[in-house]
Amino acid sequence: MRKVFIKTFGCQMNKLDSELVLGRLAGSAYRVVADESEADVILFNTCSVRQHAEDKVYSHLGALKRLKEKRPGVIVGVLGCMAQKEGRSLAKLFGVVDLVCGPRRLAELPSLLEQCNGSGPVVAVDRDRRSSHRAVSFEAGRATGCRPTRHRAYVAVMTGCDNFCSYCVVPYLRGAEVSRPPGDIVEEVRRLADDGCVEITLLGQNVNSYGTGLKPGVTLADLLAMFEPVEGIERVNFVTSHPKDLSRELMNAVASFPKVCEYLHVPPQSGSDRILKLMKRGYTSAHYRELLLMAREIIPGVEIAGDFIVGFPTETEEDFARTLALLKDADFLNCFVFKYSTRPGTAAAELQDDVPLEVKRERNQALLKAQEETSLRKRRALIGSTVEALVEGPSKRDPSRLTGRTRNNCIVHFESAGDLAGRLVKVRITSATPLAVSGDVVEE
Ligand code: 5AD
Ligand code: SF4
């Protein structure tokens, strides 16, 4: 048996892809190992969304040069978005890469690895963004899967993106939007439930445009209804939603289906209409604010998370002030903030990256600081109340405590002796930080 190690960079879709790759390999002649140094096959599943993500992979590849000199038989593979973006040129770099495999070719991995025989790099990428190769996530590789947590699973419902936001490389790398037939998804979720899974998170780059191109027509709201009868499944989440496709119908579905959790991840990206236009986002900041009002009116207890990009080309102090104002008004539970990074080939790459790094850093810090205040205020408001948490397992920071999440995605820490992973517990909240609340179990 050959030993395989995989390191994953980037988003949840990548985490799922890695899981399914390992499931597929473990089903053939491979054993998964947690330590790179004992592996015969080292795989990096990569991300290209920002230059920083790519730099991390380059430095890992550079570090493998020594290992490869000592053990030339080790196979090194670069998978995912960077593989798609850089193709064969990755194999030439450092001279350590034996295999380059794009995100839509991962299903072929076992046979691609067979082809790695030292006679030159094996390269599998699709040049056509509409090519009919299906993502590995769509394949039924689950039975042999290597799910990191038994009671939770990611489920791909669509891949690719046709939005072409001007800064974003995803539509070029993950390809055209393809939705998966609802029957296949429900079947997979049933199998997951039989295997002890209680919580699913539906994944799509643009999850709320789910259903486009499927016949008969189906929406994400229709799909959400289909998990209600699946015994064993307690919670259903979905990420990431695009503001322009966030419909009243979907909000009504979230409110009315008991299993669907009261949490939305809806990135505004900017609070300035001028910048939103340059980003090709298709909505204004006023529209985004209306969406928040509507969501909070329709879905009791809903929490919302956002993403912002700071330092998009031409962003002025005035533009940024609008972003800061939106972040404060939005009252997010969490917010992710990114410094703009030029992605070659995107529309925004035509614009000069004219906001100095120092200014991007300052704006990044200012948003994070404002969000920290909101995050702390919201979590302090929970002190004295009792929340229901789905237990994930031991806390990363303090393994003597357990961690869980509320339905609206707030992290909860508490003391407990037993292994309660996958169970629902009631916790009385006694303290709060910007990232989590802590308390005591009152009932299991
Ligand atoms: N630069 C910085 N951030 C980006 N994102 C996407 N593309 C870029 C880029 N070129 C951010 C967006 C998106 C998140 C996943 O990454 O905020 O929502
Ligand atoms: Fe990128 Fe926009 Fe598609 Fe999200 S919706 S993946 S930001 S192009």
Side-chain angles (χ1 to χ4, degrees), residues 103-145:
R104 286 170 285 156
R105 302 290 291 273
L106 295 173
E108 295 161 45
L109 215 65
S111 72
L112 294 170
L113 282 170
E114 292 305 310
Q115 292 165 38
C116 292
N117 53 14
S119 66
V122 174
V123 180
V125 293
D126 282 331
R127 278 296 146 230
D128 176 6
R129 65 181 295 279
R130 298 207 169 268
S131 83
S132 58
H133 285 289
R134 296 165 99 204
V136 66
S137 327
F138 283 20
E139 307 281 330
R142 280 283 194 191
T144 54

Side-chain angles (χ1 to χ4, degrees), residues 161-165 167-171 205-206 242 269 281:
C161 184
D162 291 338
N163 281 327
F164 290 97
C165 300
Y167 51 82
C168 186
V169 76
V170 168
Q205 260 78 37
N206 190 15
H242 193 301
Q269 311 296 4
R281 289 288 287 176

Side-chain angles (χ1 to χ4, degrees), residues 7-200:
K7 183 166 174 65
T8 308
F9 300 82
C11 65
Q12 288 149 320
M13 193 67 95
N14 265 14
K15 293 198 177 109
L16 173 60
D17 283 346
S18 291
E19 177 190 328
L20 297 183
V21 158
L22 289 184
R24 196 169 291 275
L25 291 176
S28 53
Y30 294 84
R31 185 161 69 79
V32 182
V33 293
D35 188 352
E36 185 179 290
S37 64
E38 51 169 304
D40 307 305
V41 176
I42 298 174
L43 302 173
F44 293 142
N45 193 9
T46 61
C47 170
S48 289
V49 80
R50 283 170 290 277
Q51 186 59 43
H52 179 64
E54 296 196 347
D55 290 343
K56 280 198 277 189
V57 174
Y58 284 127
S59 88
H60 271 81
L61 287 175
L64 283 185
K65 224 176 152 162
R66 270 255 221 65
L67 183 128
K68 204 59 189 182
E69 278 160 13
K70 268 200 279 174
R71 295 171 54 205
V74 171
I75 293 175
V76 175
V78 179
L79 320 180
C81 287
M82 269 176 84
Q84 178 67 33
K85 179 164 170 276
E86 304 298 330
R88 187 168 293 275
S89 65
L90 266 179
K92 293 194 189 118
L93 211 81
F94 311 113
V96 301
V97 178
D98 305 287
L99 169 69
V100 179
C101 180
R104 286 170 285 156
R105 302 290 291 273
L106 295 173
E108 295 161 45
L109 215 65
S111 72
L112 294 170
L113 282 170
E114 292 305 310
Q115 292 165 38
C116 292
N117 53 14
S119 66
V122 174
V123 180
V125 293
D126 282 331
R127 278 296 146 230
D128 176 6
R129 65 181 295 279
R130 298 207 169 268
S131 83
S132 58
H133 285 289
R134 296 165 99 204
V136 66
S137 327
F138 283 20
E139 307 281 330
R142 280 283 194 191
T144 54
C146 299
R147 203 155 78 245
T149 328
R150 185 174 160 87
H151 71 273
R152 267 172 69 179
Y154 292 128
V155 177
V157 299
M158 54 148 357
T159 66
C161 184
D162 291 338
N163 281 327
F164 290 97
C165 300
S166 67
Y167 51 82
C168 186
V169 76
V170 168
Y172 303 90
L173 304 181
R174 288 264 171 189
E177 233 173 85
V178 186
S179 288
R180 189 178 171 198
D184 292 6
I185 300 171
V186 175
E187 190 45 45
E188 181 179 358
V189 170
R190 277 211 196 94
R191 282 200 305 270
L192 285 166
D194 288 345
D195 190 35
C197 180
V198 294
E199 175 170 30
I200 54 167

Side-chain angles (χ1 to χ4, degrees), residues 374-385 429 431-432 437:
T374 306
S375 292
L376 183 60
R377 173 173 47 73
K378 289 179 78 84
R379 285 168 179 80
R380 278 196 176 143
L382 292 174
I383 294 177
S385 70
I429 304 306
S431 66
V437 292

Side-chain angles (χ1 to χ4, degrees), residues 11 48-51 165-170 240 265 267-269 279 281 306-310 312 336-343 346 348:
C11 65
S48 289
V49 80
R50 283 170 290 277
Q51 186 59 43
C165 300
S166 67
Y167 51 82
C168 186
V169 76
V170 168
T240 292
H265 181 203
Q269 311 296 4
M279 288 178 164
R281 289 288 287 176
D307 298 352
F308 284 106
I309 297 175
V310 292
F312 186 86
F336 306 95
V337 185
F338 305 103
K339 297 187 278 290
Y340 172 73
S341 166
T342 307
R343 301 290 69 208
T346 60

